[in-house]
Amino acid sequence: MNKFLKWFASDSFIVSLAAIVMGLLLGAVVMMIGGYNPITAYGALISRVFGDWYGFGEALREMTPLVLTGLAVAFAFRAGMFNIGAEGQVLMGMTGASLIGIKLTGLPALIHAPLAIIAGALFGGLWAALAGYIKAKRGVNEVITTIMLNWTALFLCNYIVRTFLLMPGNQRSVEIQPSASISIDWLSQMMGNARVHWGILLAMLASTFFYYFLWKTKQGFELRAVGSNPEAARYAGINVSKNIVKAMFISGVFAGLAGAFETLGVFHYQSVYSSLPGYGFNGIAVALLGMTHPFGVLAGAGLFGSLTYGSAGMSFDAGVPPEIIQIVIGSIIFFIAAQGIVRFLLKPVYKRKKEKVL
């Protein structure tokens, strides 16, 4: 708990918080230039998310895949790799969950739903491990392979849906078996039919697993050592190639879970996508905002989920175009990436703090 509190008091957290504030302020300036009232707009956004149980439940639903794709990117980054392929891994997770959720029949929910989740996680993990294997054995940069695998996953998943799972006359699969659903019906009814599901809780547990595995286990130490200095890790007797594949596999499992939860808990079917849906790319932004720390990712996903869902409130209640929220999100990402600017602007604060200590 002390370490958790210490992280929230750290310089990284302060810089992230400052970047969020600066992004919101820049978004307010853009609104004023466009002739909109930022106070009304942000008020409508907050009201949309926290004004009733339905809005809150939908914001949580929006946040869930962002947590998991953010964890996928952050985990790979901590191991010294940049996983741009969470997008494809999400799609593979959707497909794995859909295959088990649709094709297996007659199973009780206590077996069927976990099997479908595991299938989604494995599909995503193995897809990411492929990029890790190519890097470990051939030295091919994972950024290139994961980008290519995104598009390969898109067309492969569309082929599987069209060939084995398609609902006739529709560009989507048939619905999963009721026993494979992870929707929480009683809670959904309490929250005005918001699409809440067990994946929300599991995503939070995944953040705890990330922290424990990476900082409290021997395998986690090896992954961080490989990420920090692969040559030194190799000299210390650590199998670098094995850890590269392992890191990418675990990273892909997180992303695969995001896809599985969207299929099993939100839509209950899989669409034929004409382009990449964007889950993985948003996860990169969330990982950056959370400084690649699991609890930071959790907080960043909460912010992004609220902004994304709440943008509808800005549009309907305040008349602000929803595209404005993308400017706000883009501004926050810019200030997170350009930490030098944030630190420069915070210099007077640090200076005053230093003087008080002296």
Side-chain angles (χ1 to χ4, degrees):
M1 177 60 76
N2 288 335
K3 286 187 177 180
F4 180 78
L5 294 172
K6 189 178 177 183
W7 180 81
F8 271 94
S10 67
D11 178 66
S12 296
F13 177 75
I14 292 168
V15 170
S16 293
L17 195 61
I20 292 167
V21 173
M22 290 175 190
L24 293 172
L25 288 174
L26 185 57
V29 171
V30 172
M31 287 181 215
M32 285 190 289
I33 292 171
Y36 304 103
N37 187 328
I39 297 174
T40 305
Y42 285 138
L45 186 150
I46 293 168
S47 177
R48 180 80 173 186
V49 176
F50 299 104
D52 55 45
W53 282 112
Y54 175 80
F56 183 68
E58 282 296 305
L60 286 176
R61 190 268 310 164
E62 191 80 42
M63 156 188 177
T64 303
L66 293 174
V67 172
L68 290 161
T69 52
L71 291 176
V73 175
F75 192 92
F77 188 83
R78 289 284 179 174
M81 287 169 287
F82 201 13
N83 181 9
I84 309 292
E87 191 76 10
Q89 293 145 28
V90 167
L91 288 171
M92 293 301 293
M94 286 180 174
T95 304
S98 296
L99 284 168
I100 298 299
I102 293 169
K103 291 297 183 182
L104 288 186
T105 58
L107 292 175
L110 283 174
I111 296 174
H112 199 181
L115 271 180
I117 291 170
I118 291 168
L122 287 176
F123 269 53
L126 292 171
W127 197 251
L130 178 59
Y133 178 81
I134 295 170
K135 179 183 174 69
K137 294 300 179 183
R138 299 298 176 188
V140 181
N141 189 288
E142 72 279 3
V143 173
I144 297 170
T145 52
T146 50
I147 288 173
M148 294 174 69
L149 285 170
N150 280 338
W151 292 98
T152 307
L154 173 66
F155 296 119
L156 176 60
C157 293
N158 283 347
Y159 172 78
I160 291 172
V161 171
R162 285 196 180 107
T163 306
F164 304 105
L165 309 173
L166 192 68
M167 175 181 281
N170 291 271
Q171 288 296 298
R172 69 174 182 88
S173 71
V174 296
E175 292 205 359
I176 61 170
Q177 302 293 329
S179 55
S181 171
I182 59 168
S183 297
I184 312 176
D185 294 332
W186 61 269
L187 185 57
S188 178
Q189 289 172 10
M190 285 175 59
M191 301 180 81
N193 293 321
R195 292 169 291 177
V196 289
H197 53 82
W198 289 111
I200 295 166
L201 175 62
L202 294 174
M204 294 178 184
L205 292 176
S207 297
T208 306
F209 167 79
F210 182 127
Y211 176 79
Y212 181 82
F213 182 83
L214 215 55
W215 279 282
K216 300 293 182 181
T217 66
K218 178 190 171 188
Q219 291 184 54
F221 173 79
E222 289 184 356
L223 290 176
R224 287 187 290 116
V226 170
S228 298
N229 192 325
E231 292 307 316
R234 188 177 284 110
Y235 185 76
I238 296 172
N239 188 328
V240 174
S241 296
K242 180 182 175 182
N243 277 282
I244 287 173
V245 177
K246 184 193 296 179
M248 286 300 289
F249 173 77
I250 296 172
S251 174
V253 164
F254 285 128
L257 285 172
F261 294 155
E262 287 294 280
T263 295
L264 303 174
V266 180
F267 301 111
H268 299 146
Y269 61 83
Q270 183 173 344
S271 298
V272 175
Y273 289 98
S274 57
S275 62
L276 296 170
Y279 294 105
F281 298 134
N282 290 335
I284 295 172
V286 169
L288 287 173
L289 181 59
M291 295 294 186
T292 67
H293 191 285
F295 301 130
V297 167
L298 198 60
L303 174 68
F304 271 53
S306 299
L307 289 173
T308 304
Y309 179 73
S311 62
M314 290 173 64
S315 179
F316 292 121
D317 301 333
V320 179
E323 290 78 13
I324 292 283
I325 203 67
Q326 298 303 320
I327 295 175
V328 175
I329 292 172
S331 301
I332 293 170
I333 296 168
F334 169 77
F335 285 117
I336 286 290
Q339 287 187 28
I341 297 173
V342 178
R343 291 180 192 279
F344 176 77
L345 293 171
L346 289 176
K347 244 182 191 177
V349 178
Y350 284 124
K351 192 176 179 182
R352 205 174 296 120
K353 201 174 179 182
K354 206 171 184 182
E355 286 172 356
K356 281 183 181 179
V357 172
L358 294 172

